[in-house]
Amino acid sequence: ILSGLVGSEMCIRDRGISNKTIQQKYLSAITGLFELAKNSGVWNENLAFPTRGHQLFTKKDAKKTQSKTSWKPFTASELANIFNPDVYLKQKNPTDFWLPLLGLFTGGRISELCQLLIQDIKEIGGVWAIAITDEEESQRLKTPAAKRTIPVHPRLIEIGFLEFVKDMEPFGGMLFPYLTPNAFGNFSETPSERFGKYLDSIQLTDSKKVFHSFRSTSNNCLKQKQVPEETRCQFIGHEHETTNSKVYSSDHSVAYLLANVARKLDFKLPFKDLHYPREVILKVTTKKMTLKASMLKNKQAKELRQTT
């Protein structure tokens, strides 16, 4: 088993996990295993550990790094600028229209939202919900706490999200069917870049303001409205580091999250002027799916030629 851990850092990195996460959560644990093996006589004490020499984050270092890389929440004026109907409705791509709205009203990571499947949007006890999961091979989550089921915000339903879900069914299993994964299996690379360009186009150029800022915005909004930290963690998908929450309590129901969490995400913006531009989205999706099919066909033909 121990020999199989040699080079595990590279394998983990190939899955798209950040160096910081590898250092904080993986290397220290692996080193601990080698220490145990050494003390038990299984590992030759004269041999260096494969993880030896790696610089590991201390808690103090991690806090410093987090303070430098944490993303700022959007202000009320910035949100008004982002969702200004005169500008926002000019976007044609399904991801351009829906991802920022989903990010704001779910607090979800862009990688979680881009990999959603049609089947992940379902009705539970009369409440429409989004299952953020890694049950399918194409889906990955950052941490175990990221796996959660949360209600679809009423504002998203008003804008036309359920209509959009229904319209995407004929195109295959994904909510955004034209997206393709990068080398790490992540579907969000292009949508993330496009949102960055959108922020530039509306003169929002603060380097600390990115798509992940929606997550900070949602969490901050819930905190200011006195939603308990444990409940916020369940909704947002954060670890809650207490024995009570991890061992001795169950998750809140979707109905509870709708009444006590989602409905408190109220940003006082003119969302009534935003509505799912169905004809445009369908036209663009059809075009993109045709292009995706053509590219896949060309790729398969190239691979066939290389094997013959």
Side-chain angles (χ1 to χ4, degrees):
I1 294 174
L2 290 175
S3 62
L5 294 173
V6 178
S8 61
E9 177 187 356
M10 185 62 70
C11 295
I12 295 169
R13 186 183 290 115
D14 287 343
R15 290 166 52 194
I17 299 175
S18 69
N19 288 336
K20 185 178 75 171
T21 300
I22 293 172
Q23 290 174 321
Q24 289 178 323
K25 295 189 176 182
Y26 291 86
L27 291 183
S28 59
I30 294 172
T31 299
L33 283 175
F34 280 109
E35 289 283 3
L36 177 62
K38 178 181 175 181
N39 294 335
S40 302
V42 178
W43 185 264
N44 188 330
E45 63 180 11
N46 296 318
L47 295 177
F49 299 159
T51 51
R52 183 79 74 190
H54 289 277
Q55 183 180 0
L56 301 179
F57 280 97
T58 64
K59 289 186 177 180
K60 184 177 181 180
D61 292 331
K63 287 182 179 179
K64 287 182 179 179
T65 301
Q66 185 177 12
S67 66
K68 291 180 181 178
T69 59
S70 59
W71 309 114
K72 296 179 182 177
F74 291 117
T75 65
S77 61
E78 288 169 341
L79 288 176
N81 195 13
I82 291 170
F83 294 106
N84 177 358
D86 293 337
V87 180
Y88 196 76
L89 285 170
K90 291 180 181 179
Q91 301 185 104
K92 309 298 182 182
N93 280 1
T95 49
D96 295 343
F97 182 83
W98 284 113
L99 285 178
L101 290 167
L102 285 168
L104 183 64
F105 287 112
T106 68
R109 300 173 179 89
I110 190 170
S111 58
E112 298 171 344
L113 301 174
C114 286
Q115 68 182 15
L116 285 173
L117 304 178
I118 296 295
Q119 67 189 36
D120 296 330
I121 317 301
K122 49 194 173 185
E123 196 171 10
I124 301 176
V127 177
W128 279 99
I130 300 174
I132 297 177
T133 182
D134 57 358
E135 292 182 358
E136 297 297 324
E137 186 177 351
S138 62
Q139 297 176 315
R140 301 180 181 187
L141 296 178
K142 185 175 180 181
T143 66
K147 188 172 184 177
R148 61 203 188 276
T149 301
I150 58 178
V152 177
H153 195 284
R155 185 67 67 186
L156 291 173
I157 295 176
E158 291 174 8
I159 294 172
F161 180 64
L162 297 182
E163 298 171 48
F164 169 68
V165 175
K166 188 71 174 177
D167 285 341
M168 292 301 105
E169 288 181 359
F171 293 102
M174 293 187 66
L175 184 62
F176 302 105
Y178 60 87
L179 294 180
T180 55
N182 64 10
F184 301 110
N186 192 323
F187 290 89
S188 63
E189 184 175 319
T190 297
S192 181
E193 291 176 355
R194 289 183 63 86
F195 182 69
K197 292 179 180 178
Y198 176 72
L199 292 182
D200 290 340
S201 72
I202 58 175
Q203 283 73 55
L204 208 170
T205 57
D206 187 338
S207 61
K208 295 288 186 179
K209 303 291 181 77
V210 296
F211 190 94
H212 205 82
S213 296
F214 286 124
R215 188 168 170 79
S216 302
T217 304
S218 300
N219 192 41
N220 184 55
C221 177
L222 295 175
K223 180 179 179 180
Q224 300 309 316
K225 294 186 178 181
Q226 287 79 52
V227 176
E229 181 182 2
E230 182 179 345
T231 305
R232 283 188 282 122
C233 284
Q234 182 188 335
F235 189 86
I236 298 293
H238 276 154
E239 296 280 358
H240 194 258
E241 303 293 341
T242 68
T243 301
N244 181 280
S245 63
K246 284 187 172 183
V247 180
Y248 297 111
S249 61
S250 301
D251 288 343
H252 294 301
S253 68
V254 173
Y256 180 92
L257 292 177
L258 174 62
N260 298 281
V261 184
R263 291 189 183 279
K264 294 190 177 182
L265 289 173
D266 184 5
F267 300 98
K268 309 298 183 183
L269 296 172
F271 288 112
K272 60 181 177 60
D273 296 326
L274 287 182
H275 198 274
Y276 166 44
R278 186 170 186 267
E279 291 185 8
V280 173
I281 294 295
L282 280 174
K283 182 177 180 180
V284 170
T285 302
T286 301
K287 183 177 180 179
K288 285 183 173 294
M289 290 301 293
T290 301
L291 178 61
K292 182 178 180 179
S294 178
M295 292 176 65
L296 179 60
K297 184 177 180 181
N298 291 337
K299 180 181 179 181
Q300 292 173 337
K302 182 179 179 181
E303 291 174 347
L304 181 61
R305 288 194 301 269
Q306 291 174 344
T307 57
T308 57

